[in-house]
């Protein structure tokens, strides 16, 4: 072999043996993927990926997503070897409590990890979102002679990723949008956890499928040793700017393991002490040395530091010239990348009057469009439902994946990919994404919503048609358990405003909240605008719950807590009870999570412990309301599925009336 080939092979085997040792020491993990995919990862990282290990957040770096997050040691080895802030002690602490090398990569935990992956398929769609973000920012900021946004998104994807439906949704959209700066390397090793992929994945022609989606498809027959073929395929993929590219790289899982390579035994378990020794011998490694990084390999990998510095310095020179020529745009770039809102971003928010009764989805659409005029990074779309969810940005155009023009993303009926793509945009930075569908169909989005919450990504969800009050479409479309199931998700803020002005304040709060995703839950049906001259100010939304209408004539005898459209029923019941001398306080509680985070003194001022007679009213399951009403309270809700009928009839039949609420309060007194 030539000197270059020798150092290449030495570096590849360093990746493999680090993965073998870390998994074996942890007695847990997936050694097979790193051993098989090491050659393609090495070629990508050393010859193509533009990144700076000393500044993992350089804005114009290429993005890399390891979609098969179970193979995390591949990524950790690359990060450590190329000079990121990930030490050998971190590698040795793989999968241990408190380590920076968890079982699956976590974006907020480990420098250089661009996306939290593990649930298969998510990374494929995250990469699509990153590529869309790059195109959008390029359109917004690049100017003739001044290119400050110009990078690619690469992902290593696996058989399991491509079996998941979300990857199909995302790939279909990526092909439609012609995202030419998106490249997948498909680690095609024909093995999954239970055995050969022939058990479940034998007749599908993945290459033909992706060609049908509109992708360029390339193939490397020998991904184990043919670095030149991997190099050539990457060059060809990068040259095609009209299509996303998939490079099918045929590899052997667990390459180098004499008895386990090519089998599922190398997939999800350590190789075992004896097989580790045999594998190292087969790779030309000393079986008695552990976590070994040869000096020559270390030096070669660390060339990434100077290369990355030079690449970033060249970008900085371009940006300095850009700043000189376009100072206002440069200042806007800095603000956008930092995530700061523009000064006066909420100056034009509307205030609705008594004559403005409307569904909160309609009010929400008006607020969204006002904000979007002042916050250009706010952009998003829906699952083919903008006419119903009211989330289209007027005069903003449809997103063009080639030029990046347009702020309305048409996701089609692809809720799962939509949520995962929004996460990719948030991971990328520079975009404040929102996505929308009917609330019932948030079920299709739960995996990416959970990951957004886990990573505290500032994604905005606009979920409309929020209850049985959507009417005749019936129980298949009527959310029942959704509010509570989403409230159970840590770091997800669920906000259900009661009228148009609470909707304004919900949007105001959501835009300022960047420590996790926010879900705005909005009505299909029209609701009145509350008279704030005699009721609590809608700005109380910012505290999660507030006294909307207090008891008259003394301390409250009972408290009625409500959310969304049911707040109006609570107010009507209070008025009815007041005529009989019953003193009732009505609390609007649009966001449990925000209220729970308030100081104890404020919570006591809204829900005094001395008042035991409490009733909640919400068009959803009653499970969980005991937190606020106590064991002595009564929750009025829906612990069954809905019905197909006009909304008014459904609500009456299910007890969402002032009379029923008043009767319930009296029963407690």
């Amino acid at each position: 072999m030539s000197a270059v080939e020798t150092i290449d092979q030495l570096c590849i085997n360093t990746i493999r043996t680090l993965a073998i040792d870390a998994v074996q020491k942890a007695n847990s993990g997936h050694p097979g993927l790193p051993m098989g995919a090491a050659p393609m990862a090495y070629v990508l990282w050393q010859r193509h990926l533009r990144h700076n290990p000393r500044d993992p957040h350089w804005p114009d770096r290429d993005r890399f997503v390891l979609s098969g997050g179970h193979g995390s040691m591949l990524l950790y080895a690359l990060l450590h070897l190329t000079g990121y802030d990930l030490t050998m002690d971190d590698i040795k602490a793989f999968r241990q409590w408190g380590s920076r090398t968890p079982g699956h990569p976590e974006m907020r935990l480990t420098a250089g990890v661009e996306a939290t992956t593990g649930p298969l398929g998510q990374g494929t769609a995250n990469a699509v979102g990153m590529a869309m973000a790059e195109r959008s920012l390029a359109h917004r900021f690049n100017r003739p002679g001044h290119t400050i946004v110009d990078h690619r998104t690469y992902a290593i994807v696996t058989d399991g990723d491509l079996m998941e439906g979300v990857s199909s949704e995302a790939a279909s959209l990526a092909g439609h949008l012609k995202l030419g700066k998106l490249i997948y390397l498909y680690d095609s090793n024909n093995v999954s956890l239970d055995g050969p992929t022939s058990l479940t994945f034998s007749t599908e022609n993945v290459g033909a499928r992706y060609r049908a989606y509109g992708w360029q498809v390339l193939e490397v027959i020998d991904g184990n040793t043919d670095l030149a073929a991997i190099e050539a395929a990457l060059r060809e993929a990068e040259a095609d700017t009209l299509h996303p590219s998939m490079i099918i790289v045929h590899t052997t899982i667990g390459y180098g393991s004499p008895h386990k390579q090519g089998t599922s035994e190398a997939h999800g378990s350590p190789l075992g002490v004896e097989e580790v020794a045999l594998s190292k011998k087969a790779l030309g490694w000393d079986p008695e040395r552990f976590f070994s990084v040869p000096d020559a390999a270390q030096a070669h990998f660390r060339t990434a530091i100077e290369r990355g510095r030079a690449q970033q310095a060249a970008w900085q020179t371009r940006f300095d010239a850009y700043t000189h020529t376009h100072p206002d745009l440069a200042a806007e770039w800095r603000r956008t990348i930092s995530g700061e809102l523009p000064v006066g971003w909420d100056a034009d928010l509307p205030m609705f009057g008594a004559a403005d009764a409307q569904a909160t989805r309609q009010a929400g659409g008006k607020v969204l469009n006002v904000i979007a005029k002042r916050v250009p990074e706010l952009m998003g779309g829906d699952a083919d439902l903008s006419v119903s969810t009211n989330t289209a940005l007027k005069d903003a155009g449809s997103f063009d994946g080639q030029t990046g023009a347009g702020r309305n993303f048409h996701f089609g009926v692809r809720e799962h990919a939509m949520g995962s793509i929004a996460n990719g945009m948030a991971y990328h930075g520079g975009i404040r994404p929102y996505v929308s569908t009917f609330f019932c169909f948030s079920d299709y989005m739960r995996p990416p919503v959970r990951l957004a919450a886990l990573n505290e990504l500032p994604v905005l969800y606009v979920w409309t048609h929020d209850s049985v009050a959507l009417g005749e479409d019936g129980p298949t479309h009527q959310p029942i358990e959704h509010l509570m199931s989403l409230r159970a998700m840590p770091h997800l803020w669920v906000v259900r405003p009661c009228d148009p002005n609470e909707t304004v304040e919900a949007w105001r709060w959501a835009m300022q909240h960047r420590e996790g995703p926010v879900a705005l839950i909005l009505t299909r049906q029209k609701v009145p605008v509350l008279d704030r001259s005699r009721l609590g100010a809608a700005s109380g939304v910012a505290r999660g719950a507030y006294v909307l209408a207090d008891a008259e004539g003394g301390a409250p005898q009972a408290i009625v807590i409500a959310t969304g459209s049911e707040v109006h029923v609570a107010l009507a019941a209070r008025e009815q009870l007041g005529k009989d001398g019953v003193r009732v306080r009505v609390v609007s509680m649009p966001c449990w999570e925000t209220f729970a985070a308030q100081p104890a003194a404020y919570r006591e001022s809204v829900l005094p412990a001395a008042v035991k007679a409490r009733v909640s009213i919400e068009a959803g399951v009653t499970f969980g309301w005991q937190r606020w009403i106590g064991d002595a309270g009564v929750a009025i809700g829906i612990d069954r599925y809905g019905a197909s009928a006009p909304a008014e009839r459904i609500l009456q039949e299910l007890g969402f009336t002032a009379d029923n609420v008043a009767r319930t309060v009296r029963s407690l007194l």
Side-chain angles (χ1 to χ4, degrees), residues 140-141 328 331-348 370-378 407 430 432 508 511-512 514:
R140 182 178 166 196
F141 288 103
D328 292 344
E332 180 69 358
W333 165 265
R334 294 188 187 97
R335 180 199 65 76
T336 301
I337 294 301
S338 73
E340 295 179 7
L341 288 166
V343 174
W345 69 273
D346 58 348
D348 302 325
V370 169
I371 295 173
K373 288 179 181 178
R374 287 183 174 261
V375 185
E377 64 269 25
L378 178 63
R407 294 169 65 189
R432 186 70 190 275
R508 191 195 308 272
M511 287 298 297
Q512 296 175 90
R514 296 192 63 84

Side-chain angles (χ1 to χ4, degrees), residues 227-567:
L227 305 190
I230 296 171
E231 170 73 22
L234 278 165
R235 294 291 181 198
E236 190 172 349
E238 291 161 355
D240 185 346
T241 59
L242 297 178
H243 309 89
S245 294
M246 168 180 273
I247 304 172
I248 302 174
V249 186
H250 296 279
T251 66
T252 301
I253 193 169
Y255 180 86
S257 171
H259 301 109
K260 296 188 177 182
Q261 68 177 14
T263 74
S264 60
E265 290 185 69
H267 191 297
S269 302
L271 296 180
V273 174
E274 291 184 7
E275 191 69 12
V276 166
L278 292 172
S279 299
K280 287 182 178 180
K281 285 183 179 178
L283 295 171
W285 227 252
D286 182 352
E288 299 301 321
R289 298 188 66 180
F290 301 92
F291 298 98
S292 175
V293 179
D295 291 343
Q298 182 76 91
H300 188 65
F301 272 116
R302 291 295 164 92
T303 60
I305 296 173
E306 189 51 44
R307 187 166 58 250
R309 281 179 177 152
Q311 290 168 340
Q312 185 169 354
W315 176 84
Q316 189 63 51
T317 299
R318 295 198 304 275
F319 186 78
D320 291 344
Y322 178 80
T323 300
H324 179 76
T325 307
H326 302 287
D328 292 344
L329 271 176
E332 180 69 358
W333 165 265
R334 294 188 187 97
R335 180 199 65 76
T336 301
I337 294 301
S338 73
E340 295 179 7
L341 288 166
V343 174
W345 69 273
D346 58 348
D348 302 325
L349 291 183
M351 179 175 291
F352 296 100
D356 298 322
Q358 59 195 291
T360 55
R361 62 173 173 147
Q362 294 172 312
K366 293 170 184 175
V367 178
L368 168 62
N369 271 275
V370 169
I371 295 173
K373 288 179 181 178
R374 287 183 174 261
V375 185
E377 64 269 25
L378 178 63
M379 55 187 73
D382 57 273
D384 197 42
L385 287 168
S386 65
V387 294
S388 293
T389 60
N390 295 96
T391 47
L393 299 181
K394 296 178 174 59
D395 303 318
S398 298
F399 176 73
D400 180 334
Q402 284 279 290
T403 68
R407 294 169 65 189
N408 288 295
F409 299 127
H410 301 289
F411 290 102
V413 188
R414 301 183 180 102
E415 285 93 348
H416 195 167
M418 176 175 73
S420 305
I421 288 168
N423 286 355
M425 294 178 186
Y427 285 132
H428 183 281
I431 305 292
R432 186 70 190 275
Y434 70 86
V435 292
S436 181
T437 188
F438 288 177
F439 189 31
C440 197
F441 303 147
S442 64
D443 282 345
Y444 286 127
M445 301 174 61
R446 286 190 71 91
V449 172
R450 183 177 187 274
L451 285 169
L454 189 155
N455 291 282
E456 300 181 9
L457 299 176
V459 179
L460 300 168
Y461 306 112
V462 182
W463 288 323
T464 70
H465 296 60
D466 70 344
S467 74
V468 292
L470 71 83
E472 291 86 348
D473 275 342
T476 62
H477 283 51
Q478 293 168 351
I480 299 294
E481 74 282 10
H482 298 70
L483 279 164
M484 285 303 177
S485 66
L486 290 165
R487 285 172 180 152
M489 198 177 285
H491 301 300
L492 173 64
W493 276 258
V494 181
V495 189
R496 189 174 184 239
C498 74
D499 81 333
N501 286 319
E502 269 201 3
T503 306
V504 173
E505 297 303 320
W507 264 107
R508 191 195 308 272
W509 181 86
M511 287 298 297
Q512 296 175 90
H513 181 79
R514 296 192 63 84
E515 289 73 48
V518 177
L520 301 177
I521 315 300
L522 307 177
T523 68
R524 176 186 186 269
Q525 78 274 25
K526 183 184 293 187
V527 292
V529 178
L530 297 179
D531 181 1
R532 299 291 172 166
S533 66
R534 63 183 187 86
L535 298 170
S539 58
V541 169
R543 304 199 76 169
Y546 63 102
V547 177
L548 180 62
D550 214 347
E552 295 181 355
Q557 296 171 282
I559 300 174
V560 178
I561 312 167
T563 77
S565 51
E566 290 75 73
V567 168

Side-chain angles (χ1 to χ4, degrees), residues 21-29 94-96 269-270:
D21 285 342
V23 171
Q24 189 61 41
K25 184 175 186 294
N27 197 29
S28 173
F94 179 57
R95 287 183 164 232
Q96 302 310 299
S269 302

Side-chain angles (χ1 to χ4, degrees), residues 204-219:
E204 180 175 310
N205 185 324
V206 172
R209 172 157 64 98
Y210 273 72
R211 287 189 187 93
Y213 288 147
W215 290 54
Q216 173 183 222
V217 177
L218 307 169
E219 195 163 9

